[in-house]
Amino acid sequence: AWAGELGDIAQVLELFQVLLANQERVLGCNHPDTLTTRNNIAALTGEMGDAAQALELFQALLPDRERVLGRDHPDTLRTCGNIAAWTGQTGDAAQALELLQTLLPDMERVRGRDHPDTLGIRNNIAVLTRQTGDVAQALDLGQALLQDRERVLGANHPDTLKTLGNIAAWAGE
């Protein structure tokens, strides 16, 4: 973690890979800490620029998280969100949008409509809706999200301001 604070992502990835081997040996492949390390490796792989490999790692992680933690565990739901995000990063915005639309009801049920993770999923749905060509629908989704983000996070929160910026761009389109 401290190596990450210094910005050397390659070193952090290498350290997590060493940690993973030790965790698998000592704690086992199904220990929650081992699964978290696998999550971190997948995320760092994506940050290093390999979106396809990150997607594969998250896809391999998901069944293990579902089996060990349960389908509704917040970490399992985050893994689903990461799969959608990296699907989009690999160039398939339509599939990423479909994955997030499927995930949203579970997030609302488990985390609540006002949880920041749920609001983030809604934001990503709006952004992907725009990327797939439906600017009017993206604008509608963004305006509904803005009201909730202002109420939950406040008018000056960075996420609220990003939503406002998206709305302005989409209104211009």
Side-chain angles (χ1 to χ4, degrees):
W2 289 112
E5 293 294 320
L6 297 174
D8 188 349
I9 296 173
Q11 181 186 14
V12 175
L13 180 56
E14 185 178 316
L15 291 169
F16 270 123
Q17 289 167 335
V18 170
L19 176 62
L20 179 61
N22 289 322
Q23 285 178 318
E24 288 176 339
R25 181 177 47 79
V26 175
L27 302 174
C29 295
N30 294 322
H31 192 280
D33 290 348
T34 305
L35 298 177
T36 296
T37 298
R38 287 177 56 200
N39 176 84
N40 294 341
I41 289 170
L44 289 165
T45 299
E47 285 183 43
M48 292 286 295
D50 193 343
Q53 181 64 27
L55 177 58
E56 286 180 27
L57 292 170
F58 279 118
Q59 288 170 329
L61 176 62
L62 181 59
D64 295 333
R65 278 203 156 156
E66 287 177 335
R67 183 175 27 71
V68 173
L69 303 174
R71 186 174 185 272
D72 289 340
H73 190 280
D75 289 346
T76 305
L77 294 174
R78 272 190 223 98
T79 299
C80 293
N82 284 324
I83 289 170
W86 289 108
T87 297
Q89 289 295 316
T90 60
D92 193 345
Q95 178 63 29
L97 177 58
E98 185 177 317
L99 290 169
L100 288 178
Q101 289 169 331
T102 301
L103 175 60
L104 181 60
D106 291 332
M107 288 294 291
E108 290 176 335
R109 179 177 46 78
V110 173
R111 304 293 273 173
R113 284 192 48 80
D114 291 340
H115 191 278
D117 289 350
T118 305
L119 296 174
I121 295 294
R122 288 178 54 205
N123 175 75
N124 294 344
I125 288 172
V127 168
L128 287 165
T129 298
R130 166 54 196 97
Q131 287 179 4
T132 58
D134 192 344
V135 180
Q137 179 64 19
L139 182 58
D140 289 344
L141 293 169
Q143 289 170 333
L145 176 61
L146 179 64
Q147 292 175 4
D148 291 337
R149 278 192 159 165
E150 285 178 337
R151 179 177 48 77
V152 174
L153 304 174
N156 295 322
H157 189 279
D159 290 345
T160 304
L161 297 175
K162 287 178 191 174
T163 301
L164 187 57
N166 285 340
I167 289 169
W170 299 333
E173 289 182 46

